[in-house]
């Protein structure tokens, strides 16, 4: 049970669930991509969006698990429109394949939820030789968004309806390395801190959303980009914490959010009409929040954008 339940300006709170914040919303004409939808808040996000009528395309690393998740959602909701497509965010090749598959489907794209992530693993390099948390949590989602942006722009033009991009960040963005983004030491194993590296990847997610929002506004595209902190939730993200995973699981029911509450801010920002036209903002507990100063550094955001474009175009 979450301890703090006072509603904010939105009318919702940290205790609100994904079903509550989307209650009464008919989204049956929308299509969404949700990455990391095989478990945790990604699964709950996909389930609730499908419940509201959204055609959900789940980006799933393990397709065996993905098919079980898909069938579980359909069993609960036989009318659900839901697909599972293979996607490993740590691999640029996989991201490109997923984007190509989606574009060839001819589907519109009204909502992109960049949810998938890993947390505090030992130092590991991705298939593209990039530190794994930076590659999975940030770079893969940047590339996915970049590859699907024209599809989203076309959807906005054709439907004359706002398209939304939601980046999953974390309060951990406040605990990055001192310089924020270590452009010259992304792959430095000797100075690697799994906690700071996680914070760095989540800081990058906010900087990405902010810079993307600025560029889209400048272009006049009817697309918003925002970032969210879902809250501290007992999910399998904690699997690399060793003995502390058991401690987190034991106390989680008392002081941490459950999955239904954890998915709520994502669903609120993705679907709620209150957020029409709101872009380049950071949300937590279903309300606007203030991100760390580094996250709102426009020069840092622009530098990260250029750095990332170099990485994906190598």
């Amino acid at each position: 049970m979450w301890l703090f339940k006072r509603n904010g300006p939105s009318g919702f709170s940290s205790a609100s669930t994904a079903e509550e914040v989307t209650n009464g919303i008919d989204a049956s004409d929308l299509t969404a991509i949700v990455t990391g939808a095989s478990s945790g808040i990604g699964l709950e996000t996909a389930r609730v969006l499908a419940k509201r009528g959204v055609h959900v395309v789940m980006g799933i690393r393990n397709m065996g698990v993905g098919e079980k998740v898909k069938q579980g959602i359909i069993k609960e909701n036989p009318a659900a429109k839901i697909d599972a497509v293979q996607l490993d965010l740590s691999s640029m090749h996989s991201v490109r394949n997923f984007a190509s598959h989606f574009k060839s489907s001819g589907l519109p794209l009204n909502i992109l939820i960049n949810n998938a992530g890993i947390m505090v693993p030992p130092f590991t390099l991705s298939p593209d030789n990039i530190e794994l948390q930076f590659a999975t949590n940030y770079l893969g989602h940047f590339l996915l968004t970049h590859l699907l942006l024209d599809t989203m722009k076309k959807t906005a033009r054709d439907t004359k309806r706002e398209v939304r991009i939601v980046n999953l960040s974390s309060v951990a963005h406040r605990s990055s390395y001192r310089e924020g983004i270590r452009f010259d030491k992304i792959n430095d194993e000797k100075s690697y801190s799994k906690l700071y590296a996680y914070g760095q990847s989540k800081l990058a997610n906010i900087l990405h959303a902010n810079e993307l929002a600025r560029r889209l506004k400048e272009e006049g595209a009817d697309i918003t980009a925002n970032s969210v902190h879902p809250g501290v939730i007992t999910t399998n993200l904690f699997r690399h914490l060793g003995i502390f995973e058991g401690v987190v699981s034991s106390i989680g029911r008392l002081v941490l959010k459950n999955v239904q509450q954890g998915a709520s801010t994502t669903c609120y920002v993705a679907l709620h009409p209150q957020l029409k036209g709101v872009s380049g903002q950071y949300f937590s507990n279903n309300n606007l929040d203030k991100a760390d100063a580094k996250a709102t550094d426009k020069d840092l955001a622009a530098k990260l954008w250029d750095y990332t474009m170099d990485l994906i175009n190598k």
Side-chain angles (χ1 to χ4, degrees):
M1 179 180 67
W2 188 244
L3 300 178
F4 306 103
K5 299 184 177 181
R6 182 178 298 174
N7 287 346
S10 69
F12 303 112
S13 73
S14 58
S16 301
T17 67
E19 288 201 19
E20 289 170 348
V21 302
T22 59
N23 186 40
I25 296 175
D26 178 6
S28 55
D29 55 344
L30 304 183
T31 300
I33 290 173
V34 181
T35 69
S38 62
S39 63
I41 59 176
L43 191 162
E44 178 67 2
T45 298
R47 185 189 73 81
V48 171
L49 292 185
K51 188 180 182 73
R52 302 304 175 218
V54 178
H55 181 172
V56 179
V57 178
M58 303 185 298
I60 302 286
R61 188 168 59 86
N62 184 324
M63 284 301 293
V65 174
E67 284 300 323
K68 290 179 181 177
V69 168
K70 174 183 172 180
Q71 294 307 317
I73 292 173
I74 291 172
K75 184 177 180 180
E76 176 192 325
N77 175 16
K81 295 171 288 185
I82 192 150
D83 301 308
V85 181
Q86 205 280 330
L87 173 62
D88 179 354
L89 269 301
S90 73
S91 163
M92 287 194 274
H93 177 72
S94 179
V95 172
R96 292 182 190 280
N97 281 347
F98 177 92
S100 178
H101 179 278
F102 184 86
K103 287 189 284 188
S104 69
S105 73
L107 288 169
L109 182 54
N110 306 91
I111 304 167
L112 173 60
I113 298 178
N114 291 319
N115 167 81
I118 58 171
M119 181 178 178
V120 298
F123 180 83
T124 310
L125 291 178
S126 74
D128 303 294
N129 292 314
I130 298 166
E131 189 275 311
L132 192 61
Q133 293 189 88
F134 191 80
T136 304
N137 298 348
Y138 165 67
L139 182 61
H141 284 124
F142 182 102
L143 177 59
L144 181 64
T145 305
H146 177 71
L147 294 173
L148 294 176
L149 203 53
D150 283 344
T151 301
M152 289 185 273
K153 290 176 182 176
K154 183 177 186 301
T155 299
R157 289 194 303 268
D158 290 350
T159 64
K160 295 180 172 53
R161 183 167 182 171
E162 178 181 272
V163 168
R164 297 184 182 184
I165 299 167
V166 184
N167 281 2
L168 268 286
S169 182
S170 168
V171 69
H173 80 273
R174 303 180 189 278
S175 300
S176 179
Y177 294 102
R178 183 184 61 177
E179 59 268 54
I181 308 295
R182 308 178 88 197
F183 294 102
D184 58 343
K185 293 184 178 180
I186 290 294
N187 294 340
D188 187 1
E189 183 175 2
K190 289 184 179 179
S191 61
Y192 174 74
S193 160
K194 57 188 180 182
L195 289 171
Y196 289 162
Y198 179 69
Q200 173 180 248
S201 70
K202 291 303 182 176
L203 172 62
N205 289 146
I206 301 177
L207 291 167
H208 173 217
N210 291 352
E211 177 66 10
L212 181 58
R214 184 191 70 77
R215 288 168 178 260
L216 290 168
K217 182 178 181 180
E218 190 175 79
E219 187 179 329
D222 194 11
I223 304 174
T224 64
N226 293 291
S227 51
V228 306
H229 165 50
V232 184
I233 307 143
T234 52
T235 71
N236 62 8
L237 270 180
F238 291 103
R239 64 187 178 276
H240 294 295
L241 291 180
I243 191 172
F244 293 104
E245 180 183 3
V247 175
V248 169
S249 297
S250 297
I251 66 172
R253 295 179 199 146
L254 296 175
V255 298
L256 304 181
K257 287 185 178 183
N258 59 37
V259 169
Q260 292 75 26
Q261 294 164 335
S264 64
T265 305
T266 302
C267 290
Y268 170 68
V269 175
L271 275 189
H272 207 284
Q274 286 179 356
L275 276 299
K276 182 173 174 55
V278 176
S279 193
Q281 299 297 323
Y282 172 71
F283 293 83
S284 67
N285 297 326
N286 299 295
N287 285 276
L288 271 171
D289 201 355
K290 186 175 181 180
D292 184 79
K294 287 189 179 73
T296 56
D297 185 327
K298 295 179 181 178
D299 292 336
L300 183 60
K303 183 177 181 180
L304 177 61
W305 184 282
D306 292 340
Y307 174 82
T308 310
M309 289 298 294
D310 287 342
L311 282 179
I312 65 173
N313 288 319
K314 279 185 177 179

